[in-house]
Amino acid sequence: MAMTSMNALALCTCLCATVLQAAGHARQSPAAPQFDGGKAYDHVRAMVGFGPRPAGSPALEDTRKYIRAQMTALGLKTEDQAFDVNTPVGRLHMVNLRTTIAGTRPERLLITGHYDTKLYREFRFVGANDGGSSAALLIELARVLKARKNLWTIELVWFDGEEATLPDWGTGTDHTYGSRYYAETAKKTGDLAKIKALILVDMIGDRDLNIRRETYSTSWMTDAIWSTARELGYGQYFPNDGMAVEDDHMPFLNVGLQAVDIIDLDYAPWHTAGDTLDKVSARSIEMVGRTLVASLPKIESKLAAGSK
Ligand SMILES: [Zn+2]
């Protein structure tokens, strides 16, 4: 018995030393944080809690305050790109929010999504997935990318005014106000030359995730993301069939930038009172977030090689 006790003591000492060593090692090189769907879901819940958040509303200002506070807590600065614009429902004040995360190179990779929700007067529309999920993904992405060694400087952009103010999207310009303002301003000022490409996420929180390839998107960027989803075991959620969707990436494609839209438009409660928190899952946002982060090395190296 004594021998066993001695052995046990020796084993304990050995294990303790190993644990201490591991802890010491962990302090020297902390593991990169993984994209956490639970944290992203908490952000969706918080924003849905502000109520309907159409462009120009006090609830959207509350949303901006929330996003800015999240970035401040990460030690990141948020800049407003504010503008006033005439819409079919009157002149509205809109604000794109921009947060920059340092990279080795100064040229920027834009990672974007909209944070406004569609205006409905006849029912209460809180846009948990449509508006909430994209805004939340960007917040959680900031936490992950701040700890990553990024080749290109990352600029996260929360676009205002993606939604049409009228019930229908239509053929005119009553939509994508924030992204059009950003792209047109960047073209005018010459800032466009400092942007390498754009990644857009929209409606990526659906419990029943089904993200088709968006066919206006730059195909090598879609390839990079869809192949990464397969490598991570998420292939069934990223089918290879295509679907054309007009979204916030269009103004950037129109000024000659490379861009990809990650969107699940196969969503039954889309633009209905049913787009509520229970239709969104932490797991769906997490799969998209992890796919996006894991695809960055491919996208960075392709951009460095001058892919078109
Ligand atoms: Zn929408």
Side-chain angles (χ1 to χ4, degrees), residues 52-64 83-85 87 89-96 115-119 121 159-163 165 177:
R53 306 176 300 284
S57 67
L60 198 58
E61 177 55 32
D62 291 340
T63 310
R64 280 192 283 279
F83 57 101
D84 294 285
V85 64
T87 78
V89 296
R91 193 157 178 85
L92 293 177
H93 183 67
M94 298 193 189
V95 183
N96 295 327
Y115 72 104
D116 63 309
T117 60
K118 188 162 171 60
L119 172 69
R121 301 187 201 278
F159 289 126
D160 201 344
E162 186 268 346
E163 299 287 4
T165 63
Y177 290 97

Side-chain angles (χ1 to χ4, degrees), residues 148-161:
R148 179 179 182 268
K149 196 166 167 48
N150 304 299
L151 173 59
W152 309 105
T153 296
I154 304 279
E155 185 180 319
L156 302 174
V157 188
W158 288 263
F159 289 126
D160 201 344

Side-chain angles (χ1 to χ4, degrees), residues 114 116-118 120 125 129-131 162-164 169 202-203 247 263 265 270-271 275:
H114 77 96
D116 63 309
T117 60
K118 188 162 171 60
Y120 284 106
F125 180 76
N129 189 28
D130 193 0
E162 186 268 346
E163 299 287 4
W169 185 266
D202 195 3
M203 297 174 64
D247 205 347
I263 180 167
L265 205 51
W270 181 53
H271 288 181
D275 185 0

